[in-house]
Amino acid sequence: MIKQAIIPLAGLGTRLLPLTSVFAKELLPINGKPSIEYILQECIDAGIKEVIFIISKKKIMIKNYFYNDKFYKKIIKKKKDPRIIKEYKKILKFKKMIKFVYQNNPRGTGDAVLKTKKLIKDKYFLMLLPDDLIIKQNCSKSMIKIHNKYNSCVMASMNVKKKTVSRWGIYNLSKKISKNNFLIRSVVEKPSIKNAPSNKAVIGRYILPKRIFEKLLKQKSGNNGEIHITDSIQSLIQSGDKFIAHNFKGKYLDCGTMNGFINSNKIIGKI
Ligand code: G1P
């Protein structure tokens, strides 16, 4: 069973500047609710019991969002506003399941994952990238089902336009397993159009094995000098680990770019 999830939150959010010059992008509201709350709710609905946030000193406002009890208690005592009471209860529910670790230098997603090494208890864990919202269907839940069935690692996947391949981790499939699930032959981080093995992209939901920490400890930095989780996944595949790409059914919203963020607000606003 997958009970733990990790969420890398130490990124600088440069694609959302100037908003992120003073604000954590994961607290920016999508239709009135911080995007991180959508991700947390997805975790809860998928049966996750503990979520590890990887933050940095610069992103301490994320911790403060969940640790503001004095403030809420004072306001509730004065105002007794049912809306505020409800919101506070929700925050408390989230807070109970969150642990924090720190990645003070943004050295890539692989480095962020490594910071959780001591806290991961089981053989497999879930990772969610907060820029990627998937609505209308719980992608994590579907991936956990696939993991349980095939006892393998799983990544969310989607076909993308060929001209955008250098924005994503791109994989090559070796065979179809079932309707929306494919065995991965290899994966590469942000290839050029010329070098891309396909137009099949990895989206920010991963079921990873604890073994990945051994790979990450040895992982050399990749393009732009960061430690990429994709490179360690490729290394695991080469060592014989089974990775399944799951073409999820929900709707993908890219909240990590300005256009994507604006669009996500419009789409969720209409639901
Ligand atoms: C990360 C991963 C990339 C993946 C993408 C999905 O990139 O490194 O492999 O395709 O998330 O959103 P980032 O968005 O951090 O640049």
Side-chain angles (χ1 to χ4, degrees):
M1 284 312 252
I2 305 232
K3 294 283 168 228
Q4 286 180 298
I6 69 170
I7 309 181
L9 295 160
L12 298 176
T14 45
R15 291 182 291 217
L16 281 174
L17 280 170
L19 300 179
T20 42
S21 64
V22 292
F23 217 75
K25 64 177 173 183
E26 299 80 6
L27 293 179
L28 288 171
I30 310 273
N31 196 34
K33 192 163 82 174
S35 60
I36 191 67
E37 287 196 18
Y38 292 89
I39 303 268
L40 282 170
Q41 197 55 49
E42 177 178 333
C43 288
I44 292 175
D45 295 341
I48 295 294
K49 301 292 176 219
E50 182 179 280
V51 182
I52 302 166
F53 277 14
I54 305 136
I55 60 168
S56 65
K57 279 184 199 148
K58 283 187 189 145
K59 307 270 297 266
I60 198 74
M61 75 160 57
I62 296 178
K63 186 168 185 186
N64 294 342
Y65 183 77
F66 296 95
Y67 278 76
N68 221 344
D69 302 72
K70 265 192 196 158
F71 169 81
Y72 277 107
K73 281 179 185 158
K74 221 168 141 187
I75 298 243
I76 289 168
K77 210 172 163 186
K78 248 198 230 159
K79 285 198 162 180
K80 297 196 171 51
D81 179 335
R83 190 191 78 84
I84 301 175
I85 294 170
K86 197 172 151 215
E87 288 295 330
Y88 180 49
K89 277 189 182 156
K90 185 178 70 183
I91 298 273
L92 280 181
K93 179 184 77 181
F94 288 147
K95 178 184 161 187
K96 264 193 211 152
M97 65 189 295
I98 306 173
K99 279 191 176 158
F100 293 86
V101 295
Y102 289 82
Q103 180 198 25
N104 285 323
N105 299 311
R107 296 188 57 225
T109 308
D111 179 63
V113 174
L114 202 46
K115 304 290 182 206
T116 67
K117 185 171 176 275
K118 284 192 186 142
L119 295 178
I120 297 296
K121 295 176 201 138
D122 300 327
K123 259 172 118 179
Y124 291 90
F125 59 97
L126 173 71
M127 172 165 80
L128 305 95
L129 301 185
D131 282 357
D132 297 346
L133 286 195
I134 300 173
I135 56 166
K136 294 190 175 162
Q137 232 209 21
N138 191 319
C139 180
S140 297
K141 199 172 174 180
S142 315
M143 287 171 58
I144 291 173
K145 268 192 200 152
I146 294 158
H147 162 78
N148 291 341
K149 185 165 174 192
Y150 297 102
N151 193 28
S152 72
C153 307
V154 188
M155 296 197 277
S157 118
M158 184 176 92
N159 289 348
V160 296
K161 292 201 178 100
K162 189 88 190 176
K163 63 173 189 211
T164 69
V165 284
S166 59
R167 155 78 182 86
W168 317 93
I170 299 288
Y171 70 91
N172 210 349
L173 61 86
S174 79
K175 70 170 184 194
K176 186 172 176 171
I177 295 181
S178 56
K179 195 167 170 234
N180 294 309
N181 304 302
F182 307 88
L183 196 61
I184 297 177
R185 188 193 301 277
S186 65
V187 63
V188 53
E189 180 68 7
K190 303 193 171 78
S192 63
I193 300 182
K194 209 176 95 205
N195 293 330
S198 75
N199 67 334
K200 296 176 185 311
V202 174
I203 302 300
R205 301 287 182 279
Y206 306 70
I207 292 178
L208 297 170
K210 211 177 177 176
R211 283 184 303 285
I212 200 156
F213 294 119
E214 292 157 33
K215 299 287 184 192
L216 283 168
L217 282 169
K218 290 184 265 171
Q219 188 62 58
K220 295 205 175 88
S221 47
N223 51 23
N224 72 14
E226 292 188 354
I227 311 276
H228 296 295
I229 195 68
T230 314
D231 293 340
S232 290
I233 291 173
Q234 170 60 11
S235 177
L236 280 175
I237 294 173
Q238 275 170 342
S239 317
D241 277 69
K242 218 164 71 172
F243 271 80
I244 292 176
H246 170 61
N247 277 355
F248 56 91
K249 286 203 192 105
K251 180 157 180 58
Y252 166 67
L253 301 174
D254 175 10
C255 300
T257 62
M258 192 58 91
N259 280 340
F261 176 69
I262 293 167
N263 195 34
S264 305
N265 268 285
K266 283 187 192 155
I267 292 179
I268 297 192
K270 273 188 213 149
I271 294 173

